[in-house]
Amino acid sequence: AGTITNVRISVKGEFWRSSTSVTNVLTNGYGKVDGTTITTANFLTATSGVRMTSALNIVGPAPVSSNGALDGTQTINQTNLTSVSLPLVLLAGETGFIRWQDVDDNPGSDAGLAIDDFVLTYDVDTRPMMTSFSPAVGQEGAQVTIEGANFTNGISVKFNGTPATLVSVTSPTQLTVTVPAGATTGIITVGEGADAVTSTTAFVVGTFS
């Protein structure tokens, strides 16, 4: 029910065969799946929404005049990438992916590259987040939808310091709140204490003109 942040990856690249003319590279990509199901189109061959990081590329051995078998268990034929950070944030219910792709840029003579000892770690942020609210203007008794993350039952909402008594958690990423009596124009606060977050713009108590 929290937000996954601070994703870190450690991986070992192993070289099992040399190339003849081009230094082969396993190119890393990562992102969020478009939808809830991972398919070839939104994961393996996806081009939009895919971020790249050269820090996780597996760069193969230098080319030699003819292909030759290598022992990937030997340190000289390995590369270690340790605790590489990805700016990937996953809200509750979202799915992310990490991939490596190899282009056949040395046909018939590509290097043999492998990935081993893959380790993924991350932090879970359970503090509430607020990304938007709508409408921006409303009277007492009007309903306001707040978008964000990590919303749980019993979460508090205040309109310029006035507590709302009717707060409904539609989902971990959405709240429906009734503007309380006595509310005045000002920021919206979600949560309590050190975990409280505030809106970047003010909610206007009144009517559109």
Side-chain angles (χ1 to χ4, degrees):
T3 300
I4 290 178
T5 63
N6 196 23
V7 177
R8 303 173 299 279
I9 292 176
S10 296
V11 67
K12 177 189 295 179
E14 297 177 345
F15 312 148
W16 291 90
R17 184 189 188 205
S18 57
S19 58
T20 59
S21 61
V22 178
T23 299
N24 293 140
V25 179
L26 291 180
T27 303
N28 175 264
Y30 65 96
K32 295 182 183 181
V33 171
D34 182 13
T36 57
T37 303
I38 295 178
T39 66
T40 296
N42 64 20
F43 165 48
L44 288 176
T45 60
T47 55
S48 62
V50 181
R51 300 188 197 179
M52 318 295 282
T53 173
S54 59
L56 280 173
N57 287 353
I58 307 297
V59 180
V64 294
S65 58
S66 61
N67 285 108
L70 300 173
D71 184 353
T73 65
Q74 299 297 313
T75 303
I76 194 173
N77 294 320
Q78 295 178 345
T79 181
N80 290 287
L81 308 178
T82 304
S83 199
V84 178
S85 296
L86 292 182
L88 181 63
V89 177
L90 297 174
L91 304 181
E94 289 187 326
T95 300
F97 67 82
I98 301 164
R99 74 182 187 195
W100 279 267
Q101 290 184 313
D102 177 33
V103 177
D104 188 11
D105 50 10
N106 195 184
S109 302
D110 278 328
L113 305 179
I115 292 175
D116 202 358
D117 297 342
F118 176 87
V119 177
L120 182 147
T121 57
Y122 55 84
D123 297 331
V124 177
D125 191 348
T126 58
R127 296 174 299 176
M129 295 172 56
M130 179 168 34
T131 56
S132 65
F133 64 86
S134 64
V137 179
Q139 296 177 308
E140 295 177 5
Q143 281 199 333
V144 175
T145 299
I146 299 175
E147 305 287 346
N150 303 336
F151 298 149
T152 57
N153 290 327
I155 193 167
S156 69
V157 178
K158 296 177 182 177
F159 287 76
N160 202 25
T162 301
T165 56
L166 298 177
V167 179
S168 175
V169 180
T170 308
S171 73
T173 60
Q174 187 180 83
L175 297 175
T176 302
V177 187
T178 300
V179 179
T184 56
T185 296
I187 60 173
I188 296 176
T189 303
V190 176
E192 293 283 355
D195 290 340
V197 292
T198 58
S199 60
T200 57
T201 58
F203 176 81
V204 178
V205 178
T207 59
F208 286 103
S209 61

